[in-house]
């Protein structure tokens, strides 16, 4: 795998940070997740391929343990607000002094500077501040989709990209660097097409070519209460759409006659409502009409195309999830199929690998600097209270 041998120390957080770490782990990095003591279980759901070390960073000796880990690591991934790591004496100026090759990835909501840098936020807030939320929703109100766009696209994935670029640059300079990845700027960058194609968005929300305004680029309900997605933008694809619907173009307004879009949409609504999703799939499958079924997660995992490509994987607990992407021809990701680690399951194992003696480990345990929670123990559901780090 392309990241084999890369050591990553991930400070446990929610959503974007764990996703970034999972991407790195899927492609071969050895990811150690540093959890807080005294929690109630891993709620990130994104710990595939990682190992867990419970470490109390609020104690000076706990911070010292992390410094020792980072002295031998390639990447540290921290998801906290500006200033948190500096208060713990774990900022980049300290860690990179001890390890100049360390890549220090900071993943936050608003970035490491600016008036919002110390504020709390969530996906909807980052979407709003980036300008993207203004383009999503109905003509009456913007609405936030599930937290994929800012948290995972603009946050976790952009941070992973930054880490990859920093690793590549290090092969030439031999030096690490600090990455300021944040959801506001990340999702704004994702929206570059919106910024550079503003003529496409001149009408109110929901009335433009690509946001549901066009009758040939939207979703329709079928006779059985299911849905079909239509994306027949190009004229030749639009003709195939009309053919499948049993309509004739010479009996309809021109495709791009925007003043007729509302009545065209009503017509398409009536036609789609006459057949089931399965019947429409039979009509449109194998054509270039750009009409596809709206699948549930279960349907997506069992769809013929996805099955043929192996697009979804099943772990040892029979949980189904997407296969890592993209697919590399020579060094593809090999995701772990084992269960996610328990919090603190690998504490002693990790410290031994990083050069700690058994005597040091025993003392850290005794002093409650670390916790060692084995599978089946009563501590097997501990989870770090990451909210405490955000205060």
């Amino acid at each position: 795998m392309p990241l084999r041998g890369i050591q990553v120390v991930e400070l446990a957080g929610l959503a974007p940070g764990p996703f970034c770490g999972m991407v790195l782990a899927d492609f071969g990095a050895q990811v150690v997740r540093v959890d807080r003591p005294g929690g109630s279980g891993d709620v990130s759901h994104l710990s595939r391929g990682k190992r867990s070390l419970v470490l109390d960073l609020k104690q000076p000796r706990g911070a010292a343990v992390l410094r020792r880990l980072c002295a031998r690591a390639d990447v540290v991934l921290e998801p906290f607000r500006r200033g948190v790591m500096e208060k713990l004496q774990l900022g980049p100026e300290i860690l990179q002094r001890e390890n100049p090759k360390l890549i220090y990835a900071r993943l936050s909501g608003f970035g490491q500077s600016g008036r919002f840098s110390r504020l709390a936020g969530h996906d909807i807030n980052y979407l709003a501040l980036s300008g993207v939320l203004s383009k999503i929703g109905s003509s009456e109100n913007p609405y936030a989709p599930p937290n994929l766009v800012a948290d995972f696209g603009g946050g976790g994935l952009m941070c992973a990209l930054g880490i990859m670029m920093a690793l590549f640059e290090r092969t030439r300079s031999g030096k690490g660097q600090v990455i300021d990845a944040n959801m506001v700027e990340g999702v704004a960058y994702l929206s570059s097409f919106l910024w550079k194609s503003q003529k496409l968005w001149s009408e109110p929300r929901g009335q433009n070519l690509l946001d549901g305004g066009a009758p040939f680029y939207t979703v329709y309900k079928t006779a059985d209460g299911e849905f079909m997605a239509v994306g027949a933008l190009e004229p030749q694809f639009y003709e195939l759409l009309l053919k499948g619907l049993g309509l004739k173009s010479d009996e309809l307004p021109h495709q791009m006659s925007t003043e007729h879009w509302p009545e065209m949409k009503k017509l398409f609504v009536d036609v789609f409502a006459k057949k089931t999703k399965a019947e429409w799939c039979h009509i449109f499958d194998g054509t270039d009409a750009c009409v596809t079924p709206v699948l549930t997660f279960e349907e997506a995992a069992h769809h013929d195309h996805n099955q043929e490509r192996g697009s979804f994987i099943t772990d040892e607990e029979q949980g189904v999830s997407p296969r890592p992407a993209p697919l590399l021809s020579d060094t593809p990701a090999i995701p772990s199929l084992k269960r996610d680690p328990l919090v603190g399951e690998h504490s002693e194992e990790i410290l031994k690998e990083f050069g700690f003696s058994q005597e040091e480990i025993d003392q850290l345990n005794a002093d409650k600097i670390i916790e060692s929670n084995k599978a089946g123990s009563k501590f097997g559901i501990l989870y770090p209270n990451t909210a405490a780090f955000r205060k």
Side-chain angles (χ1 to χ4, degrees), residues 88-213:
L88 298 172
Q89 297 299 301
L90 293 169
E93 69 285 347
I94 292 176
L95 298 188
Q96 289 184 325
R97 187 183 310 137
E98 299 175 5
N99 180 4
K101 294 184 177 181
L102 180 68
I103 292 163
Y104 196 112
R106 318 197 79 162
L107 177 54
S108 63
F110 299 105
Q112 299 302 311
S113 61
R115 64 180 63 189
F116 280 19
S117 61
R118 298 183 188 273
L119 300 181
H122 285 292
D123 185 279
I124 190 171
N125 308 117
Y126 312 139
L127 280 175
L129 202 63
S130 72
V132 174
L133 187 57
S134 71
K135 301 298 184 182
I136 304 173
S138 67
S139 57
E140 291 80 21
N141 292 297
Y143 68 79
N147 65 319
L148 295 175
V149 183
D151 276 353
F152 297 102
L157 199 57
M158 282 292 184
C159 188
L161 176 63
I163 290 169
M164 298 307 301
M165 290 189 288
L167 284 170
F168 179 74
E169 196 281 333
R170 194 180 68 175
T171 64
R172 296 181 291 193
S173 69
K175 298 169 60 177
Q177 57 184 299
V178 179
I179 299 169
D180 181 357
N182 68 86
M183 271 72 89
V184 173
E185 291 172 349
V187 74
Y189 189 37
L190 280 179
S191 72
S192 294
F193 172 73
L194 303 185
W195 286 85
K196 291 176 173 293
S197 63
Q198 297 207 34
K199 289 183 179 180
L200 290 176
W201 315 99
S202 59
E203 298 298 322
R205 278 184 308 274
Q207 298 179 32
N208 297 282
L209 179 68
L210 299 175
D211 65 1

Side-chain angles (χ1 to χ4, degrees), residues 6-17:
I6 296 297
Q7 293 272 6
V8 178
V9 175
E10 173 198 322
L11 302 184
L14 300 175

